[in-house]
């Protein structure tokens, strides 16, 4: 390694090291994005330029290595957290197939190349092949930014990562044990038992502990973030104890916490912010600082190994993506996205080559280490560029597939005595369509009279707290206080003035003297509006919901706004990561067909009850307090209305201890159901 003869370099002051890192994280992406290169490539290349193998501004010391390892663990955790678990579960075969192909093809080709081209023994060649049989999701931030991580092909790639990395690291464990003379029956027993206990323990215990925590701890939200971080790094450590790399534990932690952390909530926003602004850039910087381009010119063997590695990883990873695409009918952009996302190399590759070097395995010398670093640099440049190019086309194709209609505009009226404003906002966050670009409208209606100024000030203070809460989730909010003698009139007029499409209203379950269904104010709003209305009694965090029980009265599928209402329920199920259990009063076949045609694709299991009395019995005996009950209702005089719907909300509030919603579809003049039907 050549150090520059410059006084004061490398920088040793910890404050200045951190300051320089922050400047790199800020300036490098901005500069490279101007030339249409992914920002993460900029951080890697600048890391190479200022690292110990070039200008020597920064040393790759313990701090950089530690933060880089934390960044990789965090990256794998976020990947598991943001994966569409329902889509992953329904298409787990695709993840398994791609994971196997993405491991087996490189492993086979690399072993042959190691023996024939590099002259390695079979065990050493197998270890050489495992270097690029794994992959690291270097380009995941690019895919996430483009909004394509829920595409089925991307989900298969992300899910396959855990399999490829685990298998590659198992090859490392086996070859290392063989080199040390410890490859006996006891080794296999320890490894098998350790992995089984680790996976079973994390999968069973973490969701239960998480549900308990989110239900019982209502302190400031940074405690939620600290709980998530504690879970992440404990799982990462336990994976290491079980005999695999910490990234496997991090990914599994993300999967098991997936349902407990809403996609568009404040907690998810904080997790992504910390990762994207701090931890993940440190990982990219750490990778860049490994690069020593001059090592390529030091001898023909380094160049030969680097050429074999780069050519092999390009050919074999593309072959795995292409074969998976052929098997499952993925289009060209999806195959390209899979190829780009699985092309990245870093953590597992480095772990394997460094362990092989430390153990003195044949062929694993300084030339091999330098060649692997060159491969990582090449993959770090190519992988994000391929994902960005393919991802933009996938994103455009997704936009073209959507039928545009009226933009969603959501109004949330708060009552002066509301005690569950944050839960109501969380519901609105889950229902909001980010593509609409519209802010949530939050309204408080104050009745004129004695002490009105004091009540207006109190209402404005309440709205300010609501806006502050929404800002934590990066959801834009517009607040307004209205003076009206009739509260319902204030809500209805605000709906007209703001061209509202959806009302989200809280209900305390209390009766009023003039109540017909839900209470005087809500009944008036229902009678004087034609938009979609959701009446909510949500008291617990939505992320602790176990499932949605959807109640469907006879003939409700004939209601003009049925498709929009079902789309809303399915969107909610997708956002909070739960399945839907449909309960139909009477004949269910026609209703099942109607629900199945509506976006998004959500697993809905149907059952029927004979009459309303049987429905109430089911609510009493066969619905968990952890379930969210959603009653699809109808306005009086519209299709799907039955007199029993007038008393059903109160019956639900009596029989069901948990949360519930009553959904009133839009009436005929508002509904445009074409937007919500799936195109075949």
């Amino acid at each position: 390694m050549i150090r520059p003869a410059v006084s004061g370099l490398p920088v040793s002051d910890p404050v200045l090291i951190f300051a320089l890192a922050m400047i790199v994280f800020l300036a490098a992406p901005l500069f490279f994005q101007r030339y249409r290169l992914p920002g993460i490539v900029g951080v890697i290349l600048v890391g190479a330029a200022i690292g110990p193998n070039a200008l020597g501004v920064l040393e790759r010391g313990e701090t950089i290595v530690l933060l880089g390892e934390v960044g990789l663990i965090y990256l794998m955790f976020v990947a598991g957290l943001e994966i569409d678990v329902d889509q992953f579960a329904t298409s787990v075969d695709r993840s398994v197939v791609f994971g196997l192909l993405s491991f087996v093809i490189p492993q086979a080709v690399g072993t042959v190349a190691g023996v024939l081209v590099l002259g390695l023994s079979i065990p050493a060649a197998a270890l050489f092949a495992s270097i690029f049989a794994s992959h690291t999701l270097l380009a995941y931030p690019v895919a996430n930014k483009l909004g394509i991580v829920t595409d089925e092909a991307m989900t298969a790639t992300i899910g396959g990562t855990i399999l490829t990395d685990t298998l590659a690291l198992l090859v490392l464990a086996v070859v290392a044990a063989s080199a040390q003379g410890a490859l006996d029956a006891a080794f296999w027993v320890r490894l098998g038992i350790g992995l089984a206990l680790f996976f079973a323990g994390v999968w069973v215990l973490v969701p239960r502990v998480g549900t308990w925590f989110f239900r019982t701890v209502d302190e400031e939200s940074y405690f939620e973030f600290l709980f998530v971080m504690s879970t992440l790094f404990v799982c990462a450590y336990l994976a290491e104890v079980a005999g695999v790399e910490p990234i496997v534990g991090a990914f599994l932690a993300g999967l098991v916490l997936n349902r407990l952390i809403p996609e568009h909530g404040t907690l998810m926003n904080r997790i992504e912010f910390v990762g994207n602004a701090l931890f993940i850039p440190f990982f990219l910087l750490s990778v860049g600082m490994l690069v020593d381009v001059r090592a390529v010119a030091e001898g023909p063997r380094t160049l030969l190994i680097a050429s074999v590695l780069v050519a092999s990883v390009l050919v074999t990873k593309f072959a795995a993506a292409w074969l998976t695409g052929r098997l499952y009918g993925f289009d060209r952009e999806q195959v390209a996205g899979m190829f780009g996302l699985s092309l990245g190399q870093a953590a597992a590759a480095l772990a394997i080559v460094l362990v092989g070097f430390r153990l003195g395995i044949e062929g694993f010398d300084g030339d091999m280490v330098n060649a692997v670093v060159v491969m990582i640099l090449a993959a770090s440049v190519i992988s994000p560029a391929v994902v960005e190019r393919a991802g933009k086309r996938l994103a455009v194709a997704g936009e073209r597939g959507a039928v545009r209609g009226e933009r969603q505009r959501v109004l949330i009226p708060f009552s002066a005595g509301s005690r569950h404003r944050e839960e109501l906002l969380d519901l609105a966050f889950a229902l909001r369509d980010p593509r609409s670009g519209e802010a949530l409208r939050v309204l408080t209606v104050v009745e004129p009279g004695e002490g009105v100024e004091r009540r207006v000030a109190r209402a404005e203070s309440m709205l300010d707290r609501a806006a502050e809460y929404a800002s934590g989730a990066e959801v834009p909010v517009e607040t307004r206080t209205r003076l009206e003698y009739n509260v319902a009139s204030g809500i209805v007029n605000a709906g007209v003035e703001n061209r509202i499409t959806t009302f989200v209203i809280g209900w305390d379950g209390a009766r009023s003297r003039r109540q017909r269904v839900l209470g005087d104010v809500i009944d008036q709003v229902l009678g004087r509006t034609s938009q979609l209305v959701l009446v909510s009694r949500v008291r617990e965090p939505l992320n602790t919901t176990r499932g949605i029980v959807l109640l469907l009265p006879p003939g409700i599928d004939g209601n003009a706004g049925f498709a929009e209402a079902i789309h809303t329920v399915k969107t909610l199920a997708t956002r909070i990561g739960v399945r839907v259990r449909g309960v139909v009063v009477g004949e269910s076949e026609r209703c099942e067909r109607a629900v199945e045609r509506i976006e998004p694709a959500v697993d809905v299991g149907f059952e029927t009850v004979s009459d309303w009395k049987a429905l109430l019995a089911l609510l009493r005996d066969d619905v968990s307090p952890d379930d969210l009950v959603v009653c699809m209702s109808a306005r009086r005089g519209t299709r799907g209305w039955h007199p029993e719907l007038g008393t059903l909300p109160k019956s639900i509030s009596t029989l069901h201890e948990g949360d519930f919603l009553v959904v009133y579809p839009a009436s005929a003049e508002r509904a445009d159901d074409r937007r919500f039907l799936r195109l075949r």
Side-chain angles (χ1 to χ4, degrees), residues 89-162:
T90 56
S91 60
V92 68
D93 60 314
R94 303 181 184 196
S95 294
V96 171
V97 167
F98 177 73
L100 288 174
L101 289 174
S102 191
F103 170 78
V104 170
I105 295 175
Q107 187 68 38
V109 171
T111 302
V112 172
V115 172
L116 298 182
V117 180
L118 302 179
L120 301 175
S121 65
I122 291 179
L127 189 61
F128 168 78
S130 68
I131 291 173
F132 58 89
S134 66
H135 59 256
T136 299
L137 298 175
L138 275 175
Y140 180 83
V142 177
N144 187 33
K145 182 180 178 181
L146 292 171
I148 61 170
V149 291
T150 56
D151 180 88
E152 58 182 341
M154 300 301 102
T155 298
T157 309
I158 296 168
T161 299
I162 194 70

XYZ file of all heavy atoms in Angstrom, residues 89-162:
520
model
N -45.044 -14.605 0.421
C -45.592 -15.888 0.868
C -46.297 -16.616 -0.271
O -46.182 -17.837 -0.412
C -46.552 -15.666 2.031
N -47.044 -15.852 -1.093
C -47.789 -16.494 -2.172
C -46.883 -16.898 -3.335
O -47.244 -17.769 -4.122
C -48.898 -15.560 -2.701
O -48.312 -14.315 -3.107
C -49.943 -15.310 -1.624
N -45.719 -16.265 -3.434
C -44.798 -16.598 -4.529
C -43.438 -17.008 -3.984
O -42.404 -16.709 -4.586
C -44.645 -15.402 -5.479
O -44.142 -14.276 -4.795
N -43.454 -17.684 -2.830
C -42.184 -18.088 -2.224
C -41.432 -19.050 -3.130
O -40.196 -19.106 -3.106
C -42.441 -18.709 -0.833
C -43.172 -20.037 -0.947
C -41.132 -18.869 -0.068
N -42.175 -19.785 -3.969
C -41.507 -20.697 -4.895
C -40.586 -19.944 -5.849
O -39.510 -20.441 -6.221
C -42.547 -21.504 -5.683
C -43.463 -20.617 -6.505
O -43.949 -19.599 -5.959
O -43.702 -20.930 -7.681
N -40.974 -18.734 -6.224
C -40.143 -17.949 -7.141
C -38.844 -17.524 -6.463
O -37.775 -17.533 -7.081
C -40.922 -16.737 -7.636
C -42.222 -17.132 -8.301
C -43.010 -15.957 -8.823
N -44.291 -16.435 -9.356
C -45.075 -15.740 -10.135
N -44.742 -14.517 -10.483
N -46.208 -16.243 -10.579
N -38.952 -17.124 -5.188
C -37.749 -16.757 -4.443
C -36.834 -17.963 -4.286
O -35.609 -17.847 -4.426
C -38.133 -16.209 -3.068
O -38.822 -14.989 -3.182
N -37.411 -19.124 -3.996
C -36.604 -20.339 -3.821
C -35.938 -20.729 -5.132
O -34.733 -21.034 -5.176
C -37.472 -21.491 -3.280
C -36.696 -22.797 -3.302
C -37.949 -21.181 -1.863
N -36.717 -20.707 -6.220
C -36.163 -21.085 -7.526
C -35.050 -20.127 -7.930
O -33.955 -20.552 -8.339
C -37.273 -21.113 -8.600
C -36.675 -21.179 -10.001
C -38.198 -22.290 -8.367
N -35.304 -18.816 -7.812
C -34.261 -17.861 -8.198
C -33.053 -17.977 -7.274
O -31.901 -17.917 -7.727
C -34.791 -16.432 -8.179
C -33.729 -15.422 -8.507
C -33.259 -15.296 -9.803
C -33.165 -14.630 -7.515
C -32.252 -14.384 -10.109
C -32.160 -13.721 -7.807
C -31.706 -13.603 -9.108
N -33.308 -18.130 -5.972
C -32.198 -18.270 -5.042
C -31.332 -19.474 -5.362
O -30.093 -19.395 -5.340
N -31.963 -20.602 -5.687
C -31.202 -21.810 -6.027
C -30.430 -21.628 -7.333
O -29.240 -21.974 -7.424
C -32.140 -23.013 -6.121
C -32.689 -23.539 -4.790
C -33.717 -24.636 -5.030
C -31.554 -24.064 -3.915
N -31.119 -21.092 -8.361
C -30.442 -20.883 -9.644
C -29.298 -19.888 -9.503
O -28.221 -20.066 -10.085
C -31.443 -20.391 -10.695
C -32.466 -21.409 -11.203
C -33.471 -20.727 -12.126
C -31.773 -22.556 -11.940
N -29.533 -18.834 -8.719
C -28.527 -17.789 -8.548
C -27.339 -18.282 -7.732
O -26.287 -17.643 -7.741
C -29.153 -16.565 -7.868
O -28.277 -15.470 -7.908
N -27.507 -19.391 -7.037
C -26.382 -19.998 -6.317
C -25.762 -21.145 -7.112
O -24.532 -21.216 -7.283
C -26.830 -20.509 -4.951
C -25.789 -21.347 -4.259
C -24.718 -20.740 -3.627
C -25.869 -22.733 -4.264
C -23.733 -21.503 -3.001
C -24.897 -23.508 -3.640
C -23.826 -22.890 -3.002
N -26.605 -22.057 -7.609
C -26.097 -23.282 -8.231
C -25.323 -22.968 -9.512
O -24.229 -23.519 -9.743
C -27.263 -24.255 -8.526
C -26.780 -25.419 -9.383
C -27.854 -24.769 -7.216
N -25.861 -22.093 -10.379
C -25.176 -21.799 -11.645
C -23.804 -21.168 -11.399
O -22.790 -21.647 -11.927
C -26.067 -20.916 -12.552
C -27.326 -21.685 -12.965
C -25.289 -20.468 -13.787
C -28.312 -20.848 -13.759
N -23.695 -20.090 -10.601
C -22.356 -19.549 -10.333
C -21.437 -20.544 -9.618
O -20.235 -20.596 -9.904
C -22.640 -18.331 -9.446
C -24.046 -17.955 -9.735
C -24.748 -19.249 -10.007
N -22.003 -21.333 -8.705
C -21.176 -22.283 -7.969
C -20.588 -23.334 -8.904
O -19.397 -23.673 -8.810
C -22.007 -22.951 -6.869
C -21.217 -23.833 -5.923
C -20.261 -23.052 -5.041
O -20.559 -21.963 -4.591
N -19.067 -23.600 -4.807
N -21.415 -23.833 -9.815
C -20.933 -24.850 -10.755
C -19.917 -24.260 -11.731
O -18.823 -24.815 -11.937
C -22.113 -25.451 -11.510
N -20.259 -23.122 -12.341
C -19.354 -22.494 -13.313
C -18.054 -22.074 -12.641
O -16.948 -22.270 -13.171
C -20.053 -21.289 -13.976
C -19.053 -20.494 -14.826
C -21.216 -21.758 -14.836
N -18.155 -21.494 -11.441
C -16.964 -21.027 -10.738
C -16.043 -22.154 -10.321
O -14.806 -22.014 -10.372
N -16.625 -23.283 -9.918
C -15.789 -24.423 -9.532
C -15.014 -24.947 -10.732
O -13.800 -25.220 -10.642
C -16.663 -25.538 -8.931
O -17.377 -25.031 -7.791
C -15.814 -26.714 -8.498
N -15.705 -25.080 -11.869
C -15.035 -25.538 -13.088
C -13.951 -24.549 -13.511
O -12.815 -24.944 -13.843
C -16.065 -25.747 -14.220
C -15.352 -26.040 -15.543
C -17.020 -26.874 -13.868
N -14.265 -23.251 -13.494
C -13.275 -22.237 -13.882
C -12.093 -22.227 -12.923
O -10.934 -22.048 -13.340
C -13.935 -20.855 -13.916
N -12.363 -22.433 -11.634
C -11.274 -22.453 -10.664
C -10.312 -23.591 -10.910
O -9.081 -23.430 -10.777
N -10.847 -24.755 -11.293
C -9.988 -25.918 -11.553
C -9.256 -25.776 -12.885
O -8.030 -25.964 -12.972
C -10.825 -27.217 -11.520
C -9.988 -28.401 -11.982
C -11.373 -27.467 -10.122
N -9.994 -25.439 -13.968
C -9.417 -25.450 -15.318
C -8.596 -24.203 -15.632
O -7.562 -24.291 -16.302
C -10.538 -25.608 -16.350
C -11.363 -26.903 -16.271
C -12.400 -26.942 -17.379
C -10.445 -28.136 -16.346
N -9.059 -23.033 -15.185
C -8.381 -21.782 -15.554
C -7.328 -21.384 -14.529
O -6.212 -20.963 -14.888
C -9.412 -20.648 -15.735
C -8.703 -19.343 -16.109
C -10.437 -21.021 -16.800
N -7.669 -21.505 -13.241
C -6.759 -21.037 -12.199
C -5.935 -22.158 -11.575
O -5.035 -21.882 -10.772
C -7.557 -20.318 -11.101
C -8.385 -19.115 -11.561
C -9.143 -18.511 -10.384
C -7.499 -18.062 -12.217
N -6.253 -23.424 -11.912
C -5.477 -24.542 -11.402
C -5.657 -24.817 -9.926
O -4.733 -25.313 -9.268
N -6.823 -24.515 -9.376
C -7.083 -24.747 -7.961
C -7.538 -26.183 -7.724
O -8.045 -26.847 -8.632
C -8.163 -23.782 -7.456
C -7.880 -22.284 -7.593
C -9.104 -21.482 -7.157
C -6.655 -21.881 -6.767
N -7.383 -26.650 -6.495
C -7.961 -27.939 -6.124
C -9.477 -27.795 -6.045
O -10.011 -26.678 -6.007
C -7.418 -28.390 -4.773
O -7.835 -27.495 -3.750
N -10.182 -28.916 -5.998
C -11.651 -28.854 -5.995
C -12.190 -28.116 -4.759
O -13.060 -27.244 -4.901
C -12.253 -30.272 -6.110
C -11.968 -30.838 -7.509
C -13.759 -30.245 -5.841
C -12.496 -32.241 -7.730
N -11.697 -28.386 -3.541
C -12.207 -27.607 -2.396
C -11.928 -26.104 -2.533
O -12.803 -25.274 -2.257
C -11.460 -28.208 -1.202
C -11.099 -29.585 -1.632
C -10.800 -29.476 -3.091
N -10.699 -25.761 -2.966
C -10.374 -24.344 -3.135
C -11.211 -23.721 -4.254
O -11.659 -22.570 -4.145
C -8.886 -24.183 -3.435
N -11.447 -24.470 -5.335
C -12.272 -23.965 -6.434
C -13.717 -23.764 -5.987
O -14.386 -22.802 -6.405
C -12.210 -24.928 -7.616
N -14.211 -24.670 -5.130
C -15.577 -24.508 -4.609
C -15.677 -23.245 -3.771
O -16.668 -22.500 -3.848
C -15.967 -25.727 -3.788
N -14.651 -22.969 -2.962
C -14.653 -21.745 -2.164
C -14.537 -20.517 -3.059
O -15.196 -19.496 -2.824
C -13.510 -21.779 -1.152
C -13.510 -20.673 -0.103
C -14.764 -20.733 0.753
C -12.270 -20.756 0.780
N -13.723 -20.613 -4.105
C -13.601 -19.522 -5.080
C -14.960 -19.219 -5.728
O -15.354 -18.058 -5.867
C -12.578 -19.913 -6.151
C -12.560 -19.013 -7.352
C -11.934 -17.785 -7.306
C -13.187 -19.397 -8.545
C -11.926 -16.942 -8.425
C -13.182 -18.571 -9.657
C -12.545 -17.335 -9.588
N -15.696 -20.266 -6.100
C -16.999 -20.069 -6.739
C -17.998 -19.435 -5.781
O -18.837 -18.620 -6.187
C -17.535 -21.410 -7.243
N -17.921 -19.792 -4.503
C -18.890 -19.247 -3.545
C -18.718 -17.747 -3.347
O -19.623 -17.075 -2.848
C -18.760 -19.969 -2.203
O -17.531 -19.663 -1.561
N -17.559 -17.207 -3.740
C -17.341 -15.766 -3.621
C -18.406 -14.992 -4.384
O -18.971 -14.006 -3.885
C -15.931 -15.391 -4.135
C -14.861 -15.940 -3.193
C -15.788 -13.882 -4.285
C -13.442 -15.766 -3.723
N -18.702 -15.408 -5.622
C -19.697 -14.682 -6.415
C -21.015 -15.445 -6.546
O -21.941 -14.976 -7.225
C -19.144 -14.324 -7.805
C -18.702 -15.503 -8.623
C -19.596 -16.166 -9.449
C -17.395 -15.945 -8.576
C -19.184 -17.244 -10.212
C -16.971 -17.020 -9.338
C -17.873 -17.674 -10.161
N -21.119 -16.619 -5.911
C -22.424 -17.297 -5.894
C -23.401 -16.551 -5.002
O -24.618 -16.605 -5.200
C -22.259 -18.738 -5.409
N -22.886 -15.860 -3.993
C -23.737 -15.009 -3.157
C -23.969 -13.682 -3.874
O -23.407 -13.420 -4.933
C -23.050 -14.750 -1.816
O -21.879 -13.979 -2.029
N -24.790 -12.836 -3.290
C -24.881 -11.459 -3.771
C -25.355 -10.534 -2.649
O -25.976 -10.977 -1.688
C -25.784 -11.316 -5.005
C -27.201 -11.767 -4.824
N -27.676 -12.952 -5.330
C -28.257 -11.193 -4.210
C -28.957 -13.093 -5.034
N -29.333 -12.041 -4.350
N -25.018 -9.291 -2.774
C -25.392 -8.255 -1.811
C -26.277 -7.242 -2.511
O -25.991 -6.851 -3.645
C -24.134 -7.552 -1.259
O -23.329 -8.520 -0.588
C -24.515 -6.456 -0.277
N -27.336 -6.806 -1.837
C -28.308 -5.907 -2.472
C -27.796 -4.474 -2.503
O -28.403 -3.547 -1.945
C -29.644 -5.986 -1.726
C -30.313 -7.366 -1.733
C -31.554 -7.350 -0.855
C -30.681 -7.785 -3.142
N -26.656 -4.285 -3.182
C -26.067 -2.949 -3.267
C -27.018 -1.944 -3.901
O -27.058 -0.779 -3.527
C -24.780 -3.012 -4.098
C -23.479 -3.389 -3.379
C -22.361 -3.510 -4.396
C -23.128 -2.350 -2.335
N -27.767 -2.391 -4.906
C -28.638 -1.482 -5.650
C -30.035 -1.381 -5.041
O -30.917 -0.779 -5.642
C -28.743 -1.925 -7.115
N -30.228 -1.962 -3.847
C -31.560 -1.901 -3.234
C -32.044 -0.458 -3.033
O -33.218 -0.168 -3.299
C -31.568 -2.644 -1.898
C -32.913 -2.616 -1.222
C -33.909 -3.528 -1.568
C -33.219 -1.649 -0.277
C -35.152 -3.473 -0.973
C -34.459 -1.589 0.320
C -35.421 -2.507 -0.026
O -36.654 -2.442 0.558
N -31.183 0.475 -2.559
C -31.673 1.855 -2.419
C -32.205 2.437 -3.728
O -33.146 3.236 -3.719
C -30.430 2.615 -1.927
C -29.602 1.578 -1.231
C -29.808 0.328 -2.040
N -31.616 2.045 -4.854
C -32.100 2.535 -6.159
C -33.496 1.975 -6.435
O -34.408 2.706 -6.830
C -31.121 2.139 -7.281
C -31.658 2.580 -8.642
C -29.745 2.737 -7.025
N -33.668 0.658 -6.232
C -34.971 0.033 -6.459
C -36.026 0.601 -5.525
O -37.177 0.841 -5.928
C -34.863 -1.484 -6.271
N -35.647 0.850 -4.287
C -36.589 1.408 -3.319
C -37.018 2.812 -3.715
O -38.204 3.171 -3.636
C -35.949 1.417 -1.930
C -36.917 1.811 -0.838
O -38.105 1.521 -0.921
N -36.421 2.482 0.177
N -36.074 3.613 -4.155
C -36.386 4.984 -4.577
C -37.335 5.000 -5.770
O -38.220 5.863 -5.868
C -35.085 5.713 -4.919
C -35.288 7.170 -5.332
C -33.948 7.816 -5.654
C -34.142 9.259 -6.125
N -32.843 9.896 -6.473
N -37.184 4.041 -6.671
C -38.043 3.975 -7.856
C -39.399 3.334 -7.552
O -40.282 3.319 -8.415
C -37.342 3.186 -8.966
C -36.101 3.851 -9.569
C -35.377 2.881 -10.493
C -36.479 5.120 -10.324
N -39.563 2.785 -6.359
C -40.843 2.194 -5.964
C -41.149 0.869 -6.623
O -42.319 0.530 -6.839
N -40.106 0.070 -6.926
C -40.336 -1.203 -7.626
C -40.047 -2.413 -6.738
O -40.072 -3.542 -7.227
C -39.479 -1.294 -8.908
C -37.987 -1.231 -8.567
C -39.857 -0.205 -9.895
C -37.076 -1.559 -9.730
N -39.795 -2.191 -5.432
C -39.405 -3.324 -4.592
C -40.555 -4.302 -4.379
O -40.340 -5.450 -3.983
C -38.858 -2.853 -3.224
C -37.535 -2.154 -3.399
C -39.865 -1.962 -2.510
N -41.799 -3.869 -4.616
C -42.935 -4.783 -4.470
C -43.279 -5.499 -5.769
O -44.197 -6.326 -5.791
C -44.176 -4.026 -3.967
O -44.467 -2.946 -4.867
C -43.941 -3.467 -2.574
N -42.564 -5.202 -6.854
C -42.759 -5.959 -8.087
C -42.407 -7.421 -7.824
O -41.460 -7.733 -7.097
C -41.863 -5.385 -9.188
C -42.004 -6.127 -10.504
O -42.877 -5.762 -11.300
O -41.238 -7.098 -10.717
N -43.170 -8.342 -8.416
C -42.994 -9.758 -8.107
C -41.591 -10.251 -8.437
O -41.033 -11.107 -7.730
C -44.039 -10.600 -8.829
C -44.050 -10.454 -10.342
C -45.142 -11.291 -10.987
O -45.629 -12.218 -10.337
O -45.495 -11.011 -12.152
N -40.992 -9.719 -9.494
C -39.636 -10.135 -9.845
C -38.627 -9.623 -8.823
O -37.690 -10.325 -8.438
C -39.274 -9.638 -11.241
N -38.811 -8.382 -8.374
C -37.911 -7.823 -7.366
C -38.082 -8.551 -6.033
O -37.113 -8.800 -5.309
C -38.175 -6.325 -7.187
C -37.978 -5.489 -8.447
S -36.319 -5.577 -9.134
C -36.595 -6.699 -10.503
N -39.332 -8.895 -5.705
C -39.585 -9.643 -4.469
C -38.884 -10.992 -4.512
O -38.295 -11.435 -3.518
C -41.099 -9.842 -4.274
O -41.738 -8.566 -4.142
C -41.385 -10.662 -3.024
N -38.931 -11.666 -5.661
C -38.235 -12.953 -5.803
C -36.734 -12.784 -5.627
O -36.067 -13.627 -5.004
C -38.542 -13.559 -7.166
N -36.182 -11.702 -6.150
C -34.741 -11.459 -6.028
C -34.349 -11.188 -4.588
O -33.363 -11.731 -4.079
C -34.328 -10.264 -6.910
O -34.823 -10.466 -8.240
C -32.823 -10.115 -6.952
N -35.126 -10.321 -3.927
C -34.822 -9.997 -2.530
C -34.963 -11.236 -1.655
O -34.114 -11.516 -0.805
C -35.751 -8.868 -2.038
C -35.468 -7.583 -2.828
C -35.564 -8.625 -0.550
C -36.520 -6.503 -2.627
N -36.040 -11.996 -1.865
C -36.228 -13.221 -1.099
C -35.152 -14.251 -1.380
O -34.716 -14.980 -0.476
N -34.698 -14.318 -2.638
C -33.657 -15.277 -2.995
C -32.310 -14.951 -2.394
O -31.455 -15.833 -2.245
N -32.111 -13.685 -2.011
C -30.832 -13.270 -1.433
C -30.500 -14.065 -0.179
O -29.355 -14.486 0.026
C -30.872 -11.767 -1.097
O -31.096 -11.029 -2.292
C -29.565 -11.305 -0.470
N -31.493 -14.265 0.662
C -31.243 -14.970 1.917
C -30.786 -16.395 1.647
O -29.935 -16.944 2.352
C -32.514 -14.934 2.804
C -32.177 -15.351 4.232
C -33.609 -15.795 2.262
C -31.360 -14.370 4.971
